Amino acid sequence: MRVATWNVNGLRARLDYLTHWLAARQPDVVGLQELKTPTDDFPHEYFADLGYHAAVHGQKSWNGVAILSKLPLETRQIGLPGQDDFGSRLITATIDDRLLFSTVYCPNGKTVEHADYQGKLGWYDDLTQHWQAEYELPAILCGDFNIVPEPLDTWRGASGDGGIFHTAAERKAMQRLLDKNLIDLYRNQYPEEQAFTWWDYRGGAFHRKHGLRIDFLLANQLGVQAAKDVIIDRDYRRKIDGLTASDHAPVYADLDL
DNA sequence: ATGGCTCTCGCGGAGAGA
C-alpha cells in the first residue's frame, strides 16, 4: 500500500498537476492539505473517475484537508476537537479496516510575536492530547506540520534556531507529539540525510536548495514495521507541462500492508 | 535590510503562506 502526504496549495489551481502525479505514482492513499475549497465544492466525481474515494474537511479560501483512497475508507474524525476556530485542519479515516490514516495541516504561526504563534502551540497540545498512544491498527499521521524538527531539516542549519518554525517551543511541542509512539518515517530511514519538502516560490529557492523539511509521514510501531521505502518526490516540485507546482513536494511511502 | 511568488476573492489590490 502506497501512502502519501501533499500540501497542494489550492486544489482547484492544482487539479491538473495533481492528476499528473496520481497517474505517475499511483498512490493508494493520499492526505491532501491546503485545499482552499469548501467541502461542498470538492470534485468527488472527478476523483471517482480516477479510482479514488474521498473524505473531505474543506473550507472557503483557506486551509482544508482531504483523504483520497483507492480502497474503501470510513471517516473517523473531522476536525481537531476544540480547535474549530483555527480552520479545517484534520481528518481521519480507516482504510479498508487495515490502516488508520490521519492528515493534518498544522497552523503556521506567522511570526513568534503573533497571537497565532501561541495558537499554534496550543493546537499542537490539543493534537497530542487527541492522538492515541496505542492503536490496534497500523497508523499514519501525516501532513504539513510547519515545524522544522532539527537544524538538519532546514537550509539555514543551526543559524535558523529561534526563528518561526525553528523555535525551541515548537520543537518541544513536536517532540511531545512524537512521544505518543510516533516515528518520522523519512528520518527513521535516512538518519543523516538532508532533504527538504518545501521551498519558497520566491527568489529561485528550489534551485538554490533553500528549503525546509516540514511535511512528514509519522507512523506508530505497526506502521514502522510495515514501511519499506520513503520518497520525497522532488520531481513534483518542478513545473510540468507548463503546469505550476505547489511550493511543497509530495512525500510517499510504501507499506507492506 | 527587504522582497523576490502564488493562491483566493473578485475585479483591485490585499491577505496569507512558510
Side-chain angles (χ1 to χ4, degrees), chain A residues 41-254:
Chain A
D41 290 354
F42 189 88
H44 282 278
E45 287 186 15
Y46 180 86
F47 286 107
D49 287 344
L50 299 177
Y52 289 95
H53 310 276
V56 182
H57 185 30
Q59 180 183 336
K60 187 180 178 181
S61 305
W62 292 300
N63 310 312
V65 288
I67 299 170
L68 303 179
S69 176
K70 286 186 174 179
L71 298 157
L73 82 170
E74 188 173 343
T75 303
R76 294 296 168 134
Q77 179 69 36
I78 293 178
L80 178 59
Q83 290 285 352
D84 290 343
D85 291 349
F86 230 134
S88 302
R89 297 178 178 274
L90 178 147
I91 190 164
T92 304
T94 50
I95 310 298
D96 198 31
D97 296 323
R98 291 148 59 195
L99 175 70
L100 183 97
F101 187 92
S102 187
T103 195
V104 291
Y105 175 46
C106 300
N108 172 303
K110 295 188 174 68
T111 67
V112 294
E113 296 85 11
H114 198 282
D116 281 5
Y117 174 72
Q118 292 302 325
K120 176 183 191 176
L121 297 175
W123 194 94
Y124 257 89
D125 287 344
D126 283 358
L127 176 61
T128 299
Q129 187 172 13
H130 172 67
W131 191 256
Q132 295 178 34
E134 306 292 341
Y135 287 98
E136 294 187 355
L137 297 174
I140 295 287
L141 174 58
C142 67
D144 174 359
F145 288 81
N146 276 331
I147 290 178
V148 172
E150 54 179 330
L152 180 61
D153 298 310
T154 169
W155 69 276
R156 296 180 185 278
S159 73
D161 288 357
I164 188 73
F165 290 43
H166 303 67
T167 66
E170 288 168 301
R171 287 169 171 166
K172 283 176 186 164
M174 179 94 208
Q175 186 57 51
R176 286 194 293 272
L177 175 62
L178 292 169
D179 287 345
K180 296 298 265 299
N181 295 327
L182 286 167
I183 301 288
D184 175 347
L185 288 182
Y186 179 84
R187 186 53 73 219
N188 190 51
Q189 183 173 354
Y190 301 103
E192 310 287 345
E193 205 77 27
Q194 182 166 69
F196 305 135
T197 64
W198 172 86
W199 297 261
D200 201 310
Y201 280 123
R202 300 167 294 185
F206 182 76
H207 296 286
R208 296 164 70 183
K209 305 186 191 309
H210 288 184
L212 307 175
R213 194 175 73 92
I214 52 176
D215 300 88
F216 313 119
L217 293 163
L218 310 180
N220 68 352
Q221 197 53 238
L222 290 171
V224 173
Q225 288 166 7
K228 291 189 293 187
D229 202 14
V230 186
I231 304 287
I232 296 175
D233 206 351
R234 292 178 73 259
D235 289 348
Y236 279 84
R237 177 59 180 78
R238 304 172 190 275
K239 196 174 279 283
I240 292 179
D241 297 345
L243 300 171
T244 302
S246 170
D247 44 359
H248 296 252
V251 183
Y252 64 87
D254 289 325

